[in-house]
Amino acid sequence: MNLKGRSFLTLKDFSPVEIEYLLDLSAELKQKKKNGILGSSLKGKNIALIFEKPSTRTRCAFTIGCIDEGGHPEYLGKDDIQLGHKESIEDTARVLGRMFDGIEFRGFKQETVEKLAKYSGVPVWNGLTDSYHPTQILADFLTLKEQFGRLKGLKLVYTGDGRNNMANSLMIGSTKLGINFTILAPKSLWPEETLVEICKGYAQTSGSKITISDSLEAVEGADAVYTDVWCSMGEEHLAAERIEQLKPYQVNKELIAKTKKAETVFLHCLPAVKGNEVTEEVFEQFANVIFDEAENRMHTIKAVMVATLGNY
Ligand code: CP
Ligand code: NVA
């Protein structure tokens, strides 16, 4: 599989085989690190990490993943550069492309990460935008593979804000890889119809099913229940409204019981607001798998950099 020179902006751009390849490479790099073996595939490569929004996991995963493979990461926070304020995105992209070998971007608009890729001429990786969070999905799916030994045919239920970056990216990834995907949310927070239609196309090819429902009964049979914060970064002013809308969709022990399955796991991309989208009790019950998932951010992000930029 050759993904050299490719950007990673949304999972829409990657075939199921390519996504599976990235998951396999992640597992391989994880095993190597556990055995004390680090690579050198990013030796001599300089990587820019642009963050318009804050981050713990994504920033650390790109930093450690890069250094583990012999590369040099450079953090560029929102007050460090003039991206889109004093300098156009196109110009910053062209400058960074002359100095760096790869660029990570976390921020607001998907359009920004797309422009960076278009004008920099080097691989650009999406570390989260308002629309998508594709590297998170790789970590989520690696974790599910570790738990169940497969992805195809699993039932994944996402409950909460059904039109945010996580819901969108989970829907794309699940339907591409044959996971039956349910969004459980009030109608006011259902995903955009155009994206649902695109994903229905993927589902037809992979043999999976999409369900969008506002009824808690839709959780029945879930192998994994997933949630995310009720208010994404940049939407903090909507907190009171969101709590009202989403209170019935909290992941608590009653909701987990409705799966009617003993082996259901709970996933969360983190950070979590306990008491809102998930109770402390459920969070702690599944803490091991949640923190495997957080660790897997590093192995999967490393795999994306190695596959698209490394000498591997
Ligand atoms: N899950 C995730 O992206 O975490 P950070 O916001 O800490 O990067
Ligand atoms: N939907 C969340 C994801 C955080 C990883 C946000 O955008 O803030």
Side-chain angles (χ1 to χ4, degrees), residues 79-143:
D79 298 323
D80 300 325
I81 55 171
Q82 320 268 20
L83 189 71
H85 303 297
K86 213 170 166 186
E87 185 169 56
S88 69
I89 295 157
E90 290 85 342
D91 287 357
T92 301
R94 285 183 286 184
V95 171
L96 295 180
R98 298 287 181 114
M99 300 193 192
F100 288 93
D101 302 287
I103 301 170
E104 178 276 351
F105 172 81
R106 161 171 291 199
F108 294 89
K109 294 187 184 146
Q110 180 69 15
E111 194 193 336
T112 307
V113 79
E114 282 166 8
K115 273 192 186 165
L116 283 171
K118 184 169 174 197
Y119 290 95
S120 68
V122 298
V124 172
W125 310 295
N126 182 353
L128 179 148
T129 61
D130 291 344
S131 309
Y132 304 117
H133 196 5
T135 62
Q136 178 69 50
I137 307 314
L138 297 179
D140 301 338
F141 288 2
L142 180 61
T143 310

Side-chain angles (χ1 to χ4, degrees), residues 54-59 106 128 133 136 233 269-271 297:
S55 164
T56 301
R57 281 145 288 270
T58 309
R59 174 184 178 173
R106 161 171 291 199
L128 179 148
H133 196 5
Q136 178 69 50
M233 289 179 272
C269 54
L270 303 178
R297 296 299 310 289

Side-chain angles (χ1 to χ4, degrees), residues 142-150 265 267 288-289 292:
L142 180 61
T143 310
L144 287 176
K145 270 188 122 165
E146 289 169 348
Q147 291 293 320
F148 297 100
R150 69 192 166 98
V265 298
L267 297 176
N288 283 345
V289 55
D292 279 352

